[in-house]
């Protein structure tokens, strides 16, 4: 199975320091939906792994998050692609859970769901915690320069982190290497 794991905010859609709190605030980044479509059509199982502490902070409820994700699924489908699953951490930064990135718990859940080893699985994020969780789970971390990526690039990245301008460039590279 060809699997790819994507962070949501800053990779697929515009990020917001005030959180993405409604379907209207969820706006796809240029080229991201087409990139997911190309990966889907090439046989990749596309999975999203996203911290959603806005739930714990009371900024939105699960029904609203489901509506945001319904919009994501709909727009990806309209572009000709598919997101197979969305994994999320609903906890706040101080809740002490194992699923909140930079910890790899969400990634272990993905490995269990798909009965696969994550060694070498590309995992795309725009923040250091995305890359740290991916690396801890054995994935191949990719940093995109959208969202917080340009700022993240200035710091120390996990060994082997690959850098691309955006999700479209990641898809280009993976599909050329296939």
């Amino acid at each position: 199975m060809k699997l790819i794991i994507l962070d949501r905010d800053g990779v697929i859609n515009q990020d917001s320091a005030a959180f993405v709190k409604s379907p209207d605030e969820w706006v796809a980044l240029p080229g991201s939906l087409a990139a997911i479509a190309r990966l889907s059509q090439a046989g990749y199982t596309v999975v999203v792994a996203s911290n959603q502490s806005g739930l714990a902070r009371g900024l939105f409820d699960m029904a609203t998050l489901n509506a945001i994700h319904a919009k994501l699924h709909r727009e990806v489908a309209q572009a000709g692609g598919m997101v197979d699953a969305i994994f999320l951490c609903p906890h706040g930064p101080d809740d002490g859970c194992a699923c909140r990135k930079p910890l790899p718990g969400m990634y272990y859940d993905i490995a269990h769901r798909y009965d696969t080893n994550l060694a070498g699985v590309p995992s795309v994020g725009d923040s250091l915690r995305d890359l740290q969780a991916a690396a801890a789970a054995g994935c191949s971390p990719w940093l995109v320069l959208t969202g917080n990526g340009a700022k993240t690039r200035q710091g120390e990245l996990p060994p082997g982190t690959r850098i691309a301008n955006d999700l479209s460039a990641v898809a280009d590279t993976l599909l050329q290497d296939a």
Side-chain angles (χ1 to χ4, degrees), residues 33-56:
L33 302 177
I36 293 170
R38 291 188 331 218
L39 290 164
S40 295
Q41 292 165 9
Y44 275 89
T45 298
V46 179
V47 175
V48 172
S50 183
N51 286 349
Q52 289 297 321
S53 68
L55 284 167

Side-chain angles (χ1 to χ4, degrees), residues 90-111:
H91 305 107
D94 301 322
D95 288 348
C97 67
C99 58
R100 184 174 170 77
K101 297 183 276 185
L103 297 177
M106 203 175 341
Y107 290 77
Y108 296 150
D109 290 344
I110 293 167

Side-chain angles (χ1 to χ4, degrees), residues 70-86:
K71 181 178 181 182
L72 180 157
H73 282 293
R74 188 171 52 255
E75 290 193 12
V76 167
Q78 288 169 348
M82 182 179 137
V83 170
D84 194 67
I86 298 175

Side-chain angles (χ1 to χ4, degrees), residues 22-157:
S22 72
D24 288 343
E25 293 178 12
W26 189 92
V27 178
L29 288 167
S32 68
L33 302 177
I36 293 170
R38 291 188 331 218
L39 290 164
S40 295
Q41 292 165 9
Y44 275 89
T45 298
V46 179
V47 175
V48 172
S50 183
N51 286 349
Q52 289 297 321
S53 68
L55 284 167
R57 298 170 199 259
L59 299 175
F60 49 85
D61 60 18
M62 199 62 207
T64 301
L65 185 59
N66 286 338
I68 292 168
H69 289 159
K71 181 178 181 182
L72 180 157
H73 282 293
R74 188 171 52 255
E75 290 193 12
V76 167
Q78 288 169 348
M82 182 179 137
V83 170
D84 194 67
I86 298 175
F87 287 74
L88 61 94
C89 170
H91 305 107
D94 301 322
D95 288 348
C97 67
C99 58
R100 184 174 170 77
K101 297 183 276 185
L103 297 177
M106 203 175 341
Y107 290 77
Y108 296 150
D109 290 344
I110 293 167
H112 180 73
R113 159 87 68 88
Y114 291 98
D115 192 25
T116 191
N117 184 324
L118 296 179
V121 168
S123 181
V124 185
D126 69 316
S127 71
L128 182 59
R129 66 178 169 254
D130 298 327
L131 307 175
Q132 290 169 327
C139 294
S140 173
W142 283 78
L143 173 67
V144 288
L145 301 180
T146 50
N148 295 308
K151 183 175 73 175
T152 301
R153 183 183 199 176
Q154 320 253 322
E156 189 169 329
L157 304 177

